[in-house]
Amino acid sequence: MTDIPSSDTLPAPGGRLLLDQAVTPVRIAVLTISDTRDHDSDTSGAILAERIAAASHVCVDKAIVPDAVDAIRAQVTRWIASGTVDAILTTGGTGLTGRDVTPEALEPLFDKRIDGFSVIFHTVSYQTIGLSTLQSRATAGIINGVFVFCLPGSNGAVRDGWDKVIRWQLDSRHRPCNLVELMPRLLEV
């Protein structure tokens, strides 16, 4: 039997959206990790900020740091300590070269890894760029109750990551489940 959406739902990747509910805005910060990009050339960070706003969320801050473990950790921990962010999206530094250190900077800080993110990201990335997805170490986790998603630095990768994965899990209307409904319980002991 086929699941036919009713007039109050809309098909969505991995589930459906409940259209009769309002979106719960998520406060999201965007961190571009690059030795070469600045405000004018940060196209991947701009794409994320635009998509965050279009999805009825709030881009609370946007920053650029160099490919350096200490700089990455400092910005992420500042945002988390501020209490003003629910999620952080990073772009850049997930590749295989010596300067790509985003996973090394952030994975040790994860209280919990979101292992499925990497699997799903690579699945959708493969549909776009084929085997080149092997060159990415996209990762995600939770640090002190804040979701952290680490995406590659290319425009295509941030589009795939947001449009096909993150957007849906940060939409409170997504069913059968979403990450927003877990937010009040992330710091439970």
Side-chain angles (χ1 to χ4, degrees):
M1 183 170 148
T2 309
D3 185 23
I4 300 171
S6 68
S7 61
D8 61 342
T9 66
L10 181 70
R16 65 190 188 287
L17 287 183
L18 300 180
L19 298 177
D20 60 345
Q21 295 182 4
V23 174
T24 301
V26 177
R27 303 169 301 170
I28 305 171
V30 175
L31 181 61
T32 298
I33 298 155
S34 174
D35 289 333
T36 59
R37 294 189 186 174
D38 58 22
H39 177 73
D40 294 330
S41 62
D42 179 20
T43 53
S44 59
I47 288 168
L48 286 172
E50 290 167 7
R51 281 169 158 69
I52 288 165
S56 300
H57 299 305
V58 179
C59 185
V60 296
D61 201 5
K62 194 168 166 280
I64 301 172
V65 298
D67 289 287
V69 169
D70 292 342
I72 297 165
R73 285 183 182 167
Q75 184 60 61
V76 167
T77 55
R78 233 183 337 270
W79 278 332
I80 291 170
S82 75
T84 62
V85 298
D86 303 310
I88 298 169
L89 306 181
T90 74
T91 173
T94 63
L96 301 175
T97 71
R99 294 293 297 160
D100 292 319
V101 295
T102 301
E104 288 78 10
L106 297 178
E107 286 179 341
L109 303 180
F110 290 170
D111 300 314
K112 294 189 180 206
R113 288 180 54 109
I114 305 173
D115 294 320
F117 172 74
S118 181
V119 173
I120 298 300
F121 174 80
H122 285 294
T123 300
V124 300
S125 179
Y126 178 79
Q127 295 167 2
T128 304
I129 63 168
L131 291 176
S132 295
T133 192
L134 291 175
Q135 296 179 28
S136 166
R137 296 179 300 140
T139 187
I142 302 168
I143 304 172
N144 199 27
V146 174
F147 293 110
V148 178
F149 296 93
C150 304
L151 297 166
S154 74
N155 292 347
V158 298
R159 284 186 191 105
D160 280 349
W162 177 264
D163 295 347
K164 298 177 182 177
V165 186
I166 301 167
R167 172 187 186 251
W168 302 102
Q169 279 298 290
L170 292 183
D171 191 321
S172 58
R173 304 168 302 165
H174 190 271
R175 295 294 181 268
C177 58
N178 60 74
L179 295 174
V180 179
E181 61 194 7
L182 299 178
M183 291 165 61
R185 300 177 40 218
L186 292 176
L187 295 175
E188 288 177 339
V189 289

